[in-house]
Amino acid sequence: MNHLPYHFYDAQREIRFDRFDLPAPWINYLSNGRMHAFVSQAGGGMSWWLSPMMFRLTRYRFYNMPIDSPGFYVYLRMADGTVWSPTFRPCETLVDFREASHAPGFSTFTAKKNGLCATLKLFMAQDYDTLVWELKLTNESGEEISCDVFAYVELSQFLAREENILGYYLKWNTRAVFDEDLQSITYAYTAWMHPRKDESPLVYFGSDAKIDSFCCNRDVFCGNYRDERNPVEVQNGRLSDTNLQGGEPCGALHTSVSLQAGAEQQLHFFLGVTEGALSDYEKAAAGAMETLTALRKDGAAERQFAKLQSWWKEHLAVYQCDLPDADAQRMINTWNPLQSVQTARYSRSISSDASGVRGIGFRDTAQDMLAQAYRKPEWATEMLWYLASQQLEDGHAVHTAWPEEKRPPQDITRSDDHIWMVYLAYAIAAETGDMRFLDKEIPFLGTDLVTPVGSATLWEHLLRGVDFTEKHLGEHKLPLILFSDWNDHLGPFGRKGKGESIMVSQQHIAALRQLAELAEARGESADQFRTFIENQEKALEQIAWDGEWFLRGLDDEAKPIGTHTQNHARIWLNAQSWMVIADACRDHQLEAMDSAARELDTGMGLLLNTPGYPGWPSKEAAMVNGLPAGYSENGGVFCQANCWAIMAEALLGRGNRAWKYYKQIMPNEVIQRVGVERYHAEAYAYCSTMLGKDNEKFGWGCVSQVTGTAAWMDVVATQYLLGIRPTLRGLLIDPSIPAHWEGFTVERSYRGCRLTIRVENPEHVQHGIKEIRVEGIKVSLENGPLLTESVLSGRSKARIHVTMGF
Ligand code: GLC
């Protein structure tokens, strides 16, 4: 194996890079929940406020070359004219030492050249919507060093889509000037057509250092036929003090520094926004002044950094584990929950791959929030209430929404969107034990997709969803596919409106089981849910079994989808794993999961289906919208679907296999096998899919960061593999682990009690609990291995000893 360009430092929750020209940007998100940015290991990146589609502050060249640019750039120009940066980009100058690191909420870049050490730390202030650039310069040589420091960002026209299409007109609505009072560049995008023009912010780019010169015009800064890699004004050693009214704006600031031998100097740049530049300029400018004044005070930036760190510390502390497997422990304790926060914030919208215009997916967000239900149930609840407001009166939900952009949602009826709300509601109730959030009154969305109509409790919203599914059953009593189910590309099998989905049936059953529990806890009857479950179970018993595995559904002609006689997509993973999750067709579950292992496990992830349809120009390519074989839903390793297979194996108590599946698609493990060049994407964040074995680039990770894999892997690892799972009745202790493990420890907060759970595995089993002791006292296992509220009652901390065995 070649030398890897990164190394993890687990105690610091850091990944450090010592090579920077990776096959793709490996990014880190910086955010305070309102203003956001991402930055790569090379210093490329972009920033936005509230929405990357509405208020994109700085540019990033998606899809185009040079990749990963521009970014947050600091240029150091030495007395001899040499120019270099603490980040690899933009200059790529050879330096004596270079390192970069990502950690939750901040990134750090260090480089040294000829005795000068420069460290740039980027993070988002928590109390101000400001990206802080902390630059530390240390003279490690024996002589005085003078240099010119330039900080640079390319500004954007806020409306990302419009800029792409009409930027050549709209660029005349840009104004960037150096404001003497603020000692800062300010920038406004003045297009009156902006749908939220009243909020449209004033951007500022200032510093706590004395500004010697500035430039607000990108093209002047760079010079003709140049770019940010060799800007002519940096080469000149001074900026031209150019303002801009119309054109391509930028923020470039210059300060000169001189350091005695051994001396150190710290300075900051602040890229931020205040609201309302167009509605009340004076007020916005005063806001900028207030923030800049506050941040320029001694120690102010450090205090913001400390606040950021405590946010993450608290968030991660909710669940921490100690395992005999360093890779898994690192993922579970740090990187997976970190990615879960990103998907909760950004859905599938923005990364170095995703260009930030997609809004939020209904089903996507409902799933993403599952990972917040156990860490930040209030956040998950807010989002669930919002999602319910995007459900129509007939019970189905829109597919994509733009809450921040205030655009009407997109409504192409899928068979599954509304169902995902139930799992989120259950997860919140199971975590907190408090069900009052179900009584919240929420309007439905009118058919014009704009006007709210009526009002009903969240509980009623969930029941409407059940109603919708029950009213859209096909000839064989299974739910219709409609436009598609979870598999976006399943649609072609049901275009005539008759195709039926086995996965939706399984999801429906799983949801009904949770609703039945919730109903009973509310003191209501669950009879109707039970009837629906029985009906679906009957339909599945009659239709689903193919002999060795379960079918995926029936097409418009009632022909089976995913059967052994087909040449392509003969077997589908979700139909096997979801049968276990739904707890239906019990007699065949084990065999189905064994068939999945035999037919779909590549050793580096399970394929979503196999064999893939041949790509275009074959006729069959139409069945998968022309996707090439081995990609995504056409024979790819769909990582999110792997989570459900892991969950199913864990539920079956087959810990060895569950962990094999879990470990084999962990990015760091895949990279150990196929290398960084092949895998491409981040070693610390999941991808949406990896190319499957029908593709010559098997193992290539596609669409990283923004994927439902984040939340699901987080939930599956913490609640199904380690098995510490909230239920309505209490905290279930139900691990499925590799038999060779001696044991493990989890620290977790649950309903106000801090638990230290030590699990021992003296008999080397994969599953099964023999004994549980709370503070030394044996707990009855009569109703299962549960820590009920009454067992924990009154305690703020408890030590739990669990013994696995037969
Ligand atoms: C993408 C979509 C998700 C869909 C999945 C499978 O991840 O964001 O909504 O379910 O693909 O089609």
Side-chain angles (χ1 to χ4, degrees):
M1 171 58 49
N2 292 333
H3 168 74
L4 292 176
Y6 63 88
H7 194 78
F8 287 106
Y9 289 78
D10 293 335
Q12 292 89 335
R13 303 189 192 277
E14 256 188 272
I15 179 169
R16 290 190 202 156
F17 302 92
D18 59 14
R19 220 191 85 205
F20 309 91
D21 56 341
L22 300 181
W26 287 20
I27 65 168
N28 190 22
Y29 291 87
L30 319 174
S31 169
N32 61 16
R34 297 176 309 276
M35 181 157 161
H36 316 266
F38 68 74
V39 64
S40 77
Q41 84 292 345
M46 63 171 275
S47 57
W48 64 101
W49 181 63
L50 305 181
S51 146
M53 182 168 158
M54 284 270 127
F55 298 119
R56 184 168 304 200
L57 306 176
T58 61
R59 280 190 178 147
Y60 194 70
R61 286 191 283 272
F62 288 95
Y63 320 129
N64 291 312
M65 284 196 150
I67 68 159
D68 191 24
S69 52
F72 308 104
Y73 294 152
V74 167
Y75 302 86
L76 302 168
R77 183 183 184 280
M78 312 314 289
D80 66 359
T82 317
V83 178
W84 57 287
S85 295
T87 50
F88 176 67
R89 280 285 178 78
C91 309
E92 298 179 28
T93 314
L94 220 57
V95 289
D96 304 328
F97 171 83
R98 186 183 290 295
E99 190 174 73
S101 77
H102 291 325
F106 71 100
S107 292
T108 312
F109 305 88
T110 297
K112 295 184 188 191
K113 191 165 175 64
N114 298 340
L116 182 62
C117 173
T119 299
L120 175 69
K121 185 161 87 186
L122 295 173
F123 64 95
M124 205 59 79
Q126 295 299 285
D127 298 325
Y128 310 98
D129 292 345
T130 306
L131 180 71
V132 178
W133 313 25
E134 179 198 281
L135 179 66
K136 203 192 283 176
L137 298 172
T138 314
N139 183 348
E140 294 177 346
S141 80
E143 291 158 32
E144 183 180 343
I145 296 181
S146 299
C147 72
D148 288 294
V149 179
F150 300 87
Y152 170 80
V153 280
E154 180 173 340
L155 295 161
S156 168
Q157 294 173 17
F158 289 5
L159 293 175
R161 279 160 50 129
E162 287 75 359
E163 178 178 70
N164 252 328
I165 302 161
L166 291 170
Y168 59 109
Y169 288 128
L170 295 171
K171 72 181 181 188
W172 296 102
N173 285 91
T174 58
R175 179 177 185 270
V177 297
F178 188 77
D179 182 316
E180 290 292 341
D181 292 340
L182 291 175
Q183 282 297 300
S184 163
I185 288 171
T186 62
Y187 166 66
Y189 174 64
T190 65
W192 237 244
M193 38 123 16
H194 196 294
R196 290 174 70 180
K197 68 170 184 307
D198 288 348
E199 290 150 275
S200 193
L202 185 69
V203 180
Y204 50 84
F205 190 43
S207 173
D208 54 3
K210 183 180 154 297
I211 298 304
D212 293 318
S213 64
F214 68 88
C215 183
C216 301
N217 185 323
R218 181 197 70 179
D219 299 348
V220 171
F221 174 79
C222 288
N224 292 359
Y225 268 74
R226 292 183 175 226
D227 57 51
E228 60 268 9
R229 287 174 294 190
N230 58 351
V232 70
E233 294 211 328
V234 171
Q235 189 180 306
N236 294 344
R238 198 182 160 80
L239 306 176
S240 55
D241 294 346
T242 305
N243 288 317
L244 170 133
Q245 175 74 67
E248 301 297 352
C250 75
L253 297 171
H254 161 223
T255 182
S256 35
V257 169
S258 147
L259 292 164
Q260 295 302 317
E264 181 179 295
Q265 187 177 334
Q266 189 163 297
L267 51 119
H268 298 89
F269 297 96
F270 306 112
L271 173 70
V273 297
T274 49
E275 192 171 321
L278 305 190
S279 50
D280 188 343
Y281 172 74
E282 298 301 325
K283 192 168 155 219
M289 178 65 104
E290 208 178 295
T291 302
L292 283 169
T293 308
L295 285 172
R296 279 170 180 150
K297 291 211 173 91
D298 256 6
E302 286 75 5
R303 281 192 292 279
Q304 291 300 312
F305 183 66
K307 248 185 152 165
L308 166 82
Q309 285 204 299
S310 50
W311 192 95
W312 278 107
K313 197 170 165 203
E314 199 183 299
H315 187 79
L316 297 175
V318 172
Y319 190 117
Q320 290 287 293
C321 63
D322 190 342
L323 310 182
D325 182 316
D327 272 348
Q329 179 176 318
R330 175 186 312 121
M331 255 350 233
I332 294 171
N333 285 349
T334 302
W335 301 98
N336 197 164
L338 174 70
Q339 191 183 359
S340 302
V341 168
Q342 322 306 2
T343 53
R345 281 180 174 147
Y346 312 123
S347 190
R348 306 292 166 270
S349 143
I350 180 91
S351 68
S352 59
D353 283 329
S355 64
V357 296
R358 202 173 144 188
I360 69 170
F362 190 100
R363 72 158 83 96
D364 298 332
T365 293
Q367 294 171 77
D368 295 340
M369 296 319 285
L370 289 172
Q372 300 313 319
Y374 82 94
R375 282 184 192 262
K376 288 228 163 23
E378 332 75 55
W379 187 12
T381 306
E382 282 295 327
M383 285 311 290
L384 178 55
W385 285 340
Y386 167 74
L387 290 174
S389 76
Q390 300 302 297
Q391 185 185 22
L392 285 82
E393 282 181 293
D394 69 355
H396 89 276
V398 305
H399 188 62
T400 307
W402 285 268
E404 207 55 81
E405 294 78 6
K406 301 206 166 56
R407 270 164 57 102
Q410 188 204 55
D411 176 31
I412 305 176
T413 310
R414 269 49 174 201
S415 45
D416 67 313
D417 275 310
H418 55 280
I419 300 179
W420 298 99
M421 279 199 293
V422 176
Y423 312 139
L424 183 54
Y426 183 90
I428 294 167
E431 183 62 35
T432 63
D434 181 348
M435 303 212 293
R436 282 170 301 178
F437 73 101
L438 291 170
D439 298 322
K440 167 95 170 172
E441 289 281 332
I442 301 161
F444 290 98
L445 186 65
T447 45
D448 64 358
L449 303 181
V450 178
T451 322
V453 288
S455 171
T457 60
L458 174 61
W459 179 246
E460 171 68 21
H461 277 261
L462 301 181
L463 302 189
R464 291 281 178 102
V466 172
D467 225 47
F468 180 85
T469 305
E470 284 294 325
K471 284 191 178 133
H472 291 81
L473 302 180
E475 214 179 301
H476 306 83
K477 302 282 179 260
L478 297 168
L480 294 170
I481 294 173
L482 304 178
F483 188 80
S484 82
D485 65 9
W486 174 88
N487 270 106
D488 285 331
H489 291 288
L490 198 74
F493 293 96
R495 278 292 167 266
K496 295 183 193 143
K498 297 182 81 176
E500 294 170 56
S501 166
I502 282 178
M503 182 177 172
V504 179
S505 166
Q506 296 161 331
Q507 289 185 276
H508 190 39
I509 295 175
L512 289 163
R513 290 195 198 286
Q514 295 193 336
L515 286 168
E517 260 191 74
L518 286 165
E520 276 163 3
R522 285 165 59 85
E524 292 172 22
S525 159
D527 289 351
Q528 204 188 20
F529 301 132
R530 298 243 155 74
T531 312
F532 293 156
I533 292 172
E534 273 169 35
N535 295 345
Q536 285 304 305
E537 282 182 327
K538 248 188 248 151
L540 288 175
E541 294 281 356
Q542 277 171 21
I543 287 160
W545 188 240
D546 189 53
E548 284 176 90
W549 54 75
F550 295 111
L551 302 176
R552 182 63 176 77
L554 299 173
D555 70 11
D556 283 322
E557 272 72 49
K559 289 209 291 284
I561 307 167
T563 176
H564 62 285
T565 53
Q566 271 162 356
N567 294 332
H568 307 297
R570 218 166 36 219
I571 167 170
W572 294 63
L573 179 57
N574 290 344
Q576 321 314 318
S577 42
W578 271 88
M579 201 62 96
V580 180
I581 297 168
D583 195 13
C585 296
R586 286 196 193 144
D587 293 349
H588 296 304
Q589 287 178 6
L590 286 172
E591 193 182 347
M593 289 309 292
D594 288 343
S595 298
R598 188 182 64 244
E599 305 283 325
L600 298 169
D601 182 16
T602 65
M604 219 160 53
L606 289 107
L607 302 171
L608 187 66
N609 49 30
T610 204
Y613 287 93
W616 187 84
S618 83
K619 261 212 214 96
E620 295 95 327
M623 292 316 288
V624 281
N625 292 322
L627 296 180
Y631 175 68
S632 181
E633 289 172 55
N634 188 24
V637 174
F638 210 101
C639 298
Q640 188 179 343
N642 274 252
C643 304
W644 297 322
I646 297 164
M647 184 172 165
E649 289 294 355
L651 285 168
L652 292 173
R654 300 200 282 190
N656 286 345
R657 190 186 271 168
W659 276 83
K660 171 189 183 293
Y661 288 173
Y662 177 58
K663 295 270 304 196
Q664 71 187 12
I665 65 164
M666 202 176 279
N668 188 40
E669 302 265 334
V670 179
I671 288 173
Q672 310 285 335
R673 291 180 55 181
V674 301
V676 163
E677 289 303 316
R678 168 60 64 89
Y679 184 67
H680 233 74
E682 287 95 332
Y684 48 88
Y686 288 102
C687 279
S688 175
T689 68
M690 291 191 291
L691 293 182
K693 61 181 175 33
D694 290 339
N695 194 293
E696 61 181 17
K697 292 200 173 67
F698 175 41
W700 186 295
C702 309
V703 189
S704 77
Q705 297 281 0
V706 284
T707 161
T709 315
W712 274 110
M713 211 55 110
D714 187 335
V715 167
V716 163
T718 54
Q719 301 184 14
Y720 291 84
L721 292 176
L722 301 181
I724 314 296
R725 181 152 81 248
T727 73
L728 280 195
R729 295 185 300 142
L731 194 62
L732 191 68
I733 312 288
D734 187 32
S736 279
I737 59 172
H740 70 267
W741 280 21
E742 299 288 344
F744 64 95
T745 306
V746 167
E747 289 235 14
R748 191 203 201 277
S749 306
Y750 185 66
R751 302 193 191 172
C753 185
R754 184 70 182 167
L755 306 171
T756 306
I757 304 169
R758 174 66 203 166
V759 179
E760 304 285 352
N761 188 21
E763 293 170 28
H764 290 282
V765 297
Q766 301 178 47
H767 184 244
I769 299 297
K770 204 166 166 179
E771 183 183 279
I772 298 183
R773 285 176 186 268
V774 176
E775 293 294 345
I777 301 164
K778 241 179 163 172
V779 173
S780 154
L781 299 182
E782 209 181 329
N783 296 316
L786 264 184
L787 298 176
T788 57
E789 265 187 66
S790 67
V791 166
L792 299 175
S793 76
R795 294 180 209 268
S796 61
K797 306 198 275 199
R799 296 190 66 83
I800 319 288
H801 279 92
V802 179
T803 313
M804 293 178 73
F806 292 111

